[in-house]
DNA sequence: CGTGCTTTCG
């Protein structure tokens, strides 16, 4: 506790308070200390100083105490652009984007930081198209200049959306604007190109950098891993170590991911078990997830299960999902059922994610009665399924499709095209509808109907309708691509001579002349 | 003398 008054104690001035309060907000354990500093501010009548008020307001937003922040804001006799921006930032960070937007609209004056706060808020809340819309609005405002933070956020939004046209535009914009190309921007560029399917461009940006920090290396490594280029990821990783850069836990996640997608079991295990001895990084649950995925995918299910049972951390849904997903790939129902029992014993309330996978596992081997059972269980415990969704960018405009979409303005035309495409690839003998992964207990005909409505199929039909013959089609999907869609994409790439790049939840699939870059290992 | 924003993975 702070001692508020002692006879010999010198009274701190307003500068002291600003320093102390900002120092508090940089330390998560300093909430109480900061609050007593607030008390002293009032006692010493410094509340009317704008710098003191702003630092207090900012402190409350950093500790997610929005009532406190609001109180400081309301009681400040004068407010400037920093005051307003801090409050907007507070609401944006705690996810209340509506309130943030309302305040942003009401602010008497906005500068580059105010815009950055708003754009960052939308990116943080996963509202990437809204972030890009605000960037666009910002460009029309002559009174403000784009800064580094805005560029980084916008590139991150493009990366998440797979919006390569807009991403490239931003790259060109950086080069001709006054924004200095910083290490943050370079990292964001590498990440954007990699996540938009242009690993070649990502490499070009990376290779031109003379001094690389751990973020840039990590971006490059993770990008290669996502593209199934595990060997390249390992090679860049050893180059990084050779240059004396110490990996952080995210670098290691990236490398392990790469090993897992490329079936590099020995390399991945060796890195995992060396994390602590070599780099002093204690494996977190996500690293265990990678290891289990690596072993399970490669068919070493028992070994993967052993790792789960002996982990020093409580396994979470992600871990069980990795294990169950491997059981599905290798059609191991026995182990799948044991895992479900095991989860049920540990925590009977929260294993919804497992039931989706178990249901898929039963479906994969045609046990439709058990699929129905798992689905009933899911509705009983109220599991929410996130709807499948795919995006495609055509001429800089992002089009969004949901599974069984009926809302897109051109849905009739798209569905007609899709039927035509599916018929053509079936007739050529490259595609037989595969309904294994449809969750519903439907008739064969209905199942076929259901898979043909998957969002990535709608997106590819839209792409074939609206892009030039011979140009690649790029699609981003929120879930993992299903076996049937994977098979259809391979056939379409061959029959229509199109390169199709699909980024799903876990990696990239590049379809060319009937083959996929993942070699059907995903 | 002091205040607000940003990156790699889940």
């Amino acid at each position: 506790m702070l001692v508020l008054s002692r006879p010999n104690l010198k009274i701190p001035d307003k500068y002291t308070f600003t320093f102390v309060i900002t120092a508090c907000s940089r330390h998560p354990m300093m909430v109480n200390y900061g609050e007593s500093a607030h008390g002293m501010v009032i006692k010493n009548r410094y509340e009317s100083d704008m710098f003191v008020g702003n630092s207090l307001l900012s402190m409350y937003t950093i500790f997610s105490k929005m009532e406190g922040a609001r109180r400081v804001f309301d009681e400040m006799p004068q407010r400037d652009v920093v005051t307003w921006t801090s409050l907007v930032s507070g609401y944006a960070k705690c996810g209340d984007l509506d309130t943030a937007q309302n305040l942003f609209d009401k602010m008497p004056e906005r500068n580059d930081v105010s815009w950055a706060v708003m754009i960052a808020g939308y990116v943080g809340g996963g509202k990437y198209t809204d972030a890009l819309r605000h960037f666009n609005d910002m460009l029309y405002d002559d009174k403000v200049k784009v800064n580094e933070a805005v560029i980084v956020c916008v590139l991150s939004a493009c990366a998440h959306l797979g919006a390569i046209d807009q991403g490239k535009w931003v790259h060109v914009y950086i080069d001709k604007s006054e924004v200095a190309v910083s290490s943050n921007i370079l990292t964001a560029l590498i990440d954007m190109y990699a996540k938009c399917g242009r690993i070649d461009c990502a490499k070009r940006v990376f290779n031109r950098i003379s001094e690389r920090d751990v973020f840039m290396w990590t971006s490059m490594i993770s990008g290669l891993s996502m593209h199934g280029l595990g060997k390249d990821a390992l090679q860049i990783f050893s180059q990084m170590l050779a240059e004396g850069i110490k990996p952080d836990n995210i670098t290691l996640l990236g490398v392990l991911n790469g090993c897992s997608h490329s079936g590099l079991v020995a390399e991945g295990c060796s890195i995992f078990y060396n994390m602590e001895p070599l780099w002093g990084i204690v494996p977190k649950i996500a690293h265990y997830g990678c290891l289990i995925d690596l072993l399970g995918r490669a068919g070493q299910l028992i070994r993967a299960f052993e790792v789960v049972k002996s982990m020093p951390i409580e396994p979470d849904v992600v871990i069980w999902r990795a294990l169950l997903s491997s059981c599905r790939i290798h059609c191991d129902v026995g182990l799948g059922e044991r895992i479900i029992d095991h989860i049920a014993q540990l925590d009977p309330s929260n294993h919804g994610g497992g039931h989706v996978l178990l249901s898929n596992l039963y479906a994969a081997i045609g046990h439709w009665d058990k699929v129905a059972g798992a689905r009933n269980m899911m509705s009983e415990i109220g599991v929410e399924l996130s709807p499948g969704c795919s995006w495609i960018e055509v001429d800089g405009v992002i089009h969004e499709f949901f599974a069984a979409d009926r809302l897109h303005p051109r849905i009739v035309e798209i569905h007609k095209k899709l039927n035509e495409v599916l018929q053509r690839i079936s007739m050529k003998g490259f595609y037989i509808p595969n309904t294994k992964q449809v969750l519903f207990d439907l008739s064969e005909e209905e199942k076929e109907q259901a898979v043909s409505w998957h969002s990535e199929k709608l997106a590819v039909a839209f792409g074939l309708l609206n892009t030039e013959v011979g140009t690649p089609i790029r699609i981003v999907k929120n879930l993992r691509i299903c076996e049937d869609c994977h098979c259809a994409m391979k056939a379409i790439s061959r029959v229509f001579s199109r390169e199709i790049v699909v980024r799903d939840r876990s990696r990239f699939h590049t379809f060319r002349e009937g083959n996929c870059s993942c070699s059907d290992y995903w």
Side-chain angles (χ1 to χ4, degrees):
Chain A
M1 272 305 289
L2 278 187
V3 181
L4 299 185
S5 56
R6 246 195 293 155
N8 297 332
L9 199 69
K10 289 217 172 71
I11 295 172
D13 68 5
K14 55 184 184 173
Y15 296 103
T16 316
F17 276 111
T18 317
F19 287 127
V20 167
I21 294 161
T22 343
C24 286
S25 43
R26 301 206 203 293
H27 230 291
M29 296 308 293
M30 288 282 135
V31 195
N32 294 333
Y33 204 99
E35 279 174 346
S36 32
H38 189 180
M40 287 177 77
V41 166
I42 293 167
K43 200 167 176 139
N44 291 290
R45 300 176 192 282
Y46 288 132
E47 312 140 270
S48 53
D49 184 83
M50 208 144 51
F51 284 90
V52 172
N54 286 346
S55 56
L56 272 173
L57 170 48
S58 165
M59 181 192 74
Y60 281 113
T61 66
I62 285 164
F63 294 140
S64 321
K65 298 205 164 219
M66 286 315 293
E67 328 77 56
R70 192 73 204 212
R71 208 173 342 109
V72 173
F73 180 88
D74 289 338
E75 285 167 10
M76 279 170 74
Q78 286 169 50
R79 308 178 186 102
D80 66 356
V81 64
V82 176
T83 321
W84 283 88
T85 304
S86 295
L87 192 65
V88 170
S89 168
Y91 283 112
K93 275 203 191 115
C94 68
D96 188 352
L97 290 166
D98 290 337
T99 307
Q101 182 68 63
N102 266 328
L103 286 163
F104 182 80
D105 293 338
K106 270 198 293 206
M107 288 171 70
E109 185 201 340
R110 278 177 281 270
N111 64 14
D112 59 324
V113 182
S114 327
W115 282 95
V117 160
M118 212 51 231
I119 293 169
Y122 279 115
V123 171
K127 307 230 173 201
Y128 307 115
T129 43
D130 292 315
L132 293 184
R133 205 188 63 238
H134 271 78
F135 175 57
N136 201 51
D137 293 345
M138 182 183 184
L139 293 172
Y140 280 106
D141 187 342
D142 302 328
K143 293 182 286 297
V144 290
K145 275 187 189 166
V146 172
N147 65 19
E148 184 194 13
V150 170
I151 293 291
V152 168
C153 291
V154 168
L155 286 173
S156 166
C158 293
H160 282 280
L161 291 167
I164 183 64
D165 291 349
Q166 305 203 41
K168 268 191 202 154
W169 188 92
V170 174
H171 193 175
V172 173
Y173 176 87
I174 298 164
D175 287 339
K176 62 181 186 193
S177 76
E178 291 158 54
V179 184
V181 183
S182 63
S183 58
N184 288 343
I185 288 179
L186 289 166
T187 302
L189 275 173
I190 296 166
D191 180 58
M192 182 277 291
Y193 279 123
K195 288 199 176 130
C196 289
R198 296 301 302 267
I199 195 69
D200 51 331
C201 300
K203 277 189 209 162
R204 200 182 316 143
V205 173
F206 180 79
N207 287 332
R208 284 184 189 163
I209 304 169
S210 49
E211 288 271 298
R212 304 187 185 104
D213 63 16
V214 66
F215 290 100
M216 298 165 177
W217 287 100
T218 301
S219 248
M220 191 67 247
I221 291 167
S222 310
L224 292 164
S225 296
M226 260 180 250
H227 283 264
L229 300 165
K231 288 238 164 78
D232 298 285
L234 281 173
Q235 192 249 317
I236 298 289
F237 180 60
S238 44
Q239 201 182 323
M240 166 179 165
L241 298 176
E243 292 191 16
I245 307 288
K246 193 176 159 287
D248 65 12
N249 59 341
I250 297 163
T251 320
L252 291 161
L253 266 182
V255 194
L256 290 172
N257 231 323
C259 293
S260 157
H261 289 313
S262 301
L264 303 165
V265 179
E267 293 86 341
C269 286
S270 151
I271 288 171
F272 181 88
Y273 290 108
N274 275 313
M275 284 174 63
E276 211 175 339
L278 286 184
W279 306 295
I281 296 166
V282 179
K284 291 188 185 170
I285 196 137
H287 300 100
Y288 279 96
C290 282
L291 178 66
I292 288 148
D293 195 56
L294 170 73
L295 294 169
R297 229 186 258 270
Q300 303 194 27
L301 289 166
I302 304 295
R303 210 175 141 198
F305 197 25
E306 288 308 315
V307 172
V308 176
K309 285 194 287 191
S310 63
M311 276 167 58
I313 318 169
E314 186 73 25
D316 66 357
V317 175
V318 181
I319 298 286
W320 296 115
R321 192 179 292 160
L323 208 46
L324 280 170
S325 159
S326 302
C327 292
R328 184 184 61 71
I329 294 168
H330 298 284
C331 292
D332 192 334
V333 184
L335 185 58
E337 285 173 339
R338 269 177 66 202
I339 291 165
I340 286 292
D341 285 345
H342 196 80
I343 307 172
Q345 279 170 18
L346 290 176
D347 181 6
S349 63
N350 184 25
H351 52 290
H355 281 283
V356 178
L357 281 147
L358 186 68
S359 158
N360 280 338
L361 172 61
Y362 286 136
I365 54 160
H367 286 184
W368 295 103
D369 50 329
K370 292 192 172 174
V371 173
R375 280 193 67 82
N376 286 338
M377 189 60 154
M378 279 158 61
S379 52
E380 255 174 52
I381 55 180
V383 178
E384 270 185 44
L385 292 176
S386 49
C389 177
S390 297
W391 301 266
I392 180 169
E393 189 189 49
V394 174
D395 300 325
V397 178
I398 292 150
H399 297 261
E400 194 175 42
F401 295 95
F402 288 92
D405 205 325
R406 279 162 214 283
L407 297 170
H408 195 279
R410 291 168 64 186
I411 196 65
V412 176
E413 187 193 350
I414 293 162
H415 202 217
K416 191 168 155 249
K417 178 72 179 177
L418 180 55
N419 279 334
E420 181 196 311
V421 169
L422 292 176
Q423 253 175 26
R424 198 162 144 201
I425 58 178
S426 303
M427 263 162 45
K428 293 248 180 182
F430 295 127
Y431 170 72
I432 301 156
N434 168 343
T435 52
K436 279 203 284 189
Q437 281 180 50
V438 180
L439 283 165
F440 315 95
D441 191 16
L442 306 167
S443 73
E444 280 304 317
E445 196 180 37
E446 284 171 317
K447 269 182 262 168
E448 195 175 315
Q449 189 68 24
V451 282
S452 75
W453 279 91
H454 273 176
S455 60
E456 56 269 52
K457 288 203 187 75
L458 296 171
V460 82
F462 186 82
L464 287 168
L465 277 169
N466 295 291
T467 56
E468 291 296 317
V469 176
T471 57
I473 294 175
R474 297 172 194 283
I475 294 167
V476 178
K477 195 189 173 186
N478 67 340
L479 305 174
R480 271 158 93 154
I481 188 168
C482 85
E483 221 171 291
D484 182 73
C485 287
H486 197 265
C487 181
M489 295 293 174
K490 287 200 282 187
I492 294 167
S493 74
R494 170 179 242 149
V495 174
F496 292 80
S497 303
R498 285 280 199 132
E499 182 179 305
I500 302 169
V501 183
V502 178
R503 186 184 98 193
D504 75 3
R505 196 193 190 70
S506 72
R507 59 165 295 153
F508 273 94
H509 300 264
T510 305
F511 302 92
R512 232 181 255 125
E513 290 162 23
N515 295 307
C516 179
S517 61
C518 76
S519 314
D520 303 338
Y521 185 82
W522 85 93

